[in-house]
Amino acid sequence: MKAVILVGGLGTRLRPLTCNTPKPMIPLVNQPFIEWMLLRLRDQGINEVILAVQYLADRFRATLGDGSRLGMKLHVVEEPEPRGTAGAVKNVEHLLDGPTFIFNGDVMTDLDLQAMLAFHRERQSKVTISLTPVEDPTQFGLVEMDTNNHVKRFLEKPRVEDITTNLINAGTYIIEPDVFRYVPPNQFYMFERGLFPVVLQTGDPMYGFPSRAYWTDIGKPQTYIDVHHDILIGKVKYGFRGTEIANRVWLEGDATIHPSAQIVGPVVIGDGTVVERGARIIGPTVLGARCHIGPDASLEGAVLWDDNTIGEAVTLRNSVLGRGNSIGPKTFISDGAIIGDDCSFGPENRLERGIRIWPGTVLGEKAISF
Ligand code: GTP
């Protein structure tokens, strides 16, 4: 069984984290998200995967190679220009030879793929779309079905009075390769606005597969933080790579933790990280590799990538730090702040309310404070 993962998007909503790192390569609990996804596919019986790449393609090749390290076969195929979601699969059509799973490369889900495949086969479906319920359907594209799960209509961002279902397209499909004859070659073409409406008209069997599996689009700053919290509190199945050294505290190698530091799980600590005296690390929090947490610093709900240096008495809450930042003493970072890579902040800055700081930013003492 083969799968195509769409990884060609720019990830603009997640900037500045995606300025240097393609969205599917950003770490999820210290592991590139795409690597987690590939291992999950392998464990569910999918051994050959095509990555439809457009942006920073070399990063995928350098990290994943031909897939043999992960025990699978991987093709990294680069588009000459962005082809859109369906156009990207058309571009790799020559590699497809049977029903194929197609995944958005920014969706975190523990969907039962074998159950979806059995459903697809039972119905002799040509296109099967995974569906997930949402609380507020007005923000999404809804998928309407008959009692037999046959797709009848797509509704894009409907008004409240037009809502007949709360099921939305969850970004995982199984498609028979002959359906790609409807996709024009060498053009930008999307599933939602292009291929799926065409399949409704041709009458090829198209079914919805509703599921209550965990589902989150990791491509927005707050959902990126939320998905970490959900993994750490156990809302989604996740195999932690480290050793559990205390109640829900996982260590991914060696760390130096001062005896007076307080660590309250769920917390993951990367290899080579140092936590100094009096520091408080309150879960759900992830510390990347080689981070240095200064004395009396207080971290809660934070996601730190590798090589961050956190000064004395810094407060970090519900925020993300990319790679290689240096945060001066008594700086306060909270409320969904997103800091890119290689920033250097002097003492006593205050960064709050979803502020986004671009890679390489240098701030002097109290440069942002109020
Ligand atoms: P934003 O810029 O933040 O909207 O993110 P995005 O560019 O990734 O767009 P979106 O979330 O709508 O894309 C859904 C999935 O399809 C993501 O996994 C993208 O990587 C992928 N994708 C979107 N457009 C293309 C494309 O033109 N080519 C390829 N290969 N993949 C695409």
Side-chain angles (χ1 to χ4, degrees):
M1 183 91 194
K2 289 181 185 170
V4 178
I5 309 181
L6 299 165
V7 288
L10 289 175
T12 47
R13 289 167 300 159
L14 207 49
R15 285 184 187 152
L17 297 174
T18 47
C19 288
N20 299 325
T21 309
K23 185 166 56 173
M25 295 288 287
I26 64 171
L28 192 72
V29 193
N30 291 341
Q31 179 179 30
F33 175 62
I34 189 75
E35 193 173 299
W36 173 83
M37 206 168 167
L38 289 168
L39 291 173
R40 191 178 148 268
L41 299 194
R42 186 199 65 189
D43 292 346
Q44 294 212 39
I46 299 171
N47 292 313
E48 189 165 350
V49 176
I50 300 142
L51 291 186
V53 174
Q54 218 279 312
Y55 162 69
L56 299 177
D58 292 344
R59 290 288 298 278
F60 289 97
R61 292 208 181 91
T63 309
L64 302 167
D66 63 359
S68 46
R69 179 173 62 84
L70 304 175
M72 60 201 312
K73 191 166 177 192
L74 197 65
H75 309 260
V76 179
V77 181
E78 198 171 343
E79 284 153 46
E81 69 277 320
R83 290 278 165 84
T85 47
V89 183
K90 179 79 177 171
N91 190 50
V92 299
E93 193 183 10
H94 57 284
L95 295 169
L96 311 182
D97 52 15
T100 303
F101 270 104
I102 295 160
F103 298 93
N104 276 356
D106 53 4
V107 169
M108 167 87 186
T109 177
D110 56 9
L111 183 68
D112 183 341
L113 302 179
Q114 289 303 331
M116 183 170 170
L117 183 61
F119 172 95
H120 177 85
R121 288 194 166 131
E122 246 164 51
R123 312 274 160 135
Q124 298 189 323
S125 178
K126 287 283 187 185
V127 175
T128 301
I129 304 171
S130 70
L131 306 175
T132 190
V134 288
E135 268 172 33
D136 176 13
T138 54
Q139 300 307 309
F140 296 95
L142 302 186
V143 182
E144 258 181 31
M145 300 180 294
D146 65 15
T147 48
N148 203 22
N149 286 32
H150 198 202
V151 175
K152 299 307 270 181
R153 191 157 74 122
F154 294 96
L155 275 170
E156 204 44 52
K157 298 196 177 152
R159 293 177 306 174
V160 177
E161 56 270 34
D162 295 331
I163 292 173
T164 53
T165 173
N166 67 343
L167 292 172
I168 65 159
N169 175 348
T172 298
Y173 317 119
I174 303 175
I175 303 186
E176 297 292 325
D178 60 320
V179 170
F180 286 96
R181 70 185 185 281
Y182 302 131
V183 178
N186 308 323
Q187 276 185 40
F188 187 92
Y189 203 73
M190 298 294 278
F191 281 120
E192 300 85 341
R193 291 185 296 280
L195 182 63
F196 295 160
V198 167
V199 173
L200 269 186
Q201 283 178 5
T202 60
D204 288 275
M206 177 158 59
Y207 286 91
F209 179 71
S211 130
R212 296 206 155 266
Y214 181 87
W215 178 86
T216 301
D217 166 5
I218 66 155
K220 292 180 262 181
Q222 191 54 49
T223 56
Y224 178 68
I225 297 174
D226 291 344
V227 82
H228 277 87
H229 295 180
D230 288 347
I231 289 170
L232 291 173
I233 65 173
K235 221 169 145 184
V236 52
K237 282 178 233 147
Y238 192 87
F240 291 98
R241 295 185 304 166
T243 313
E244 196 171 357
I245 54 162
N247 183 24
R248 297 189 304 155
V249 177
W250 291 272
L251 183 58
E252 296 184 334
D254 274 334
T256 308
I257 299 169
H258 194 276
S260 66
Q262 189 190 0
I263 304 200
V264 180
V267 170
V268 171
I269 303 173
D271 187 24
T273 281
V274 176
V275 180
E276 294 225 46
R277 82 177 145 70
R280 294 175 72 238
I281 317 288
I282 311 295
T285 286
V286 176
L287 306 180
R290 300 172 302 278
C291 287
H292 190 112
I293 312 299
D296 300 320
S298 169
L299 279 63
E300 183 168 354
V303 178
L304 271 61
W305 296 6
D306 298 343
D307 299 302
N308 284 293
T309 302
I310 308 298
E312 182 160 359
V314 163
T315 302
L316 245 172
R317 299 232 156 82
N318 199 36
S319 298
V320 184
L321 262 62
R323 254 177 227 103
N325 297 289
S326 171
I327 309 296
K330 294 188 187 161
T331 285
F332 183 92
I333 302 179
S334 79
D335 290 339
I338 307 285
I339 315 298
D341 306 317
D342 304 314
C343 294
S344 176
F345 300 166
E348 296 187 52
N349 281 287
R350 206 173 166 94
L351 304 158
E352 298 176 87
R353 284 178 293 228
I355 191 170
R356 299 185 191 205
I357 305 288
W358 249 238
T361 299
V362 177
L363 296 178
E365 181 171 350
K366 294 186 190 171
I368 303 181
S369 60
F370 40 89

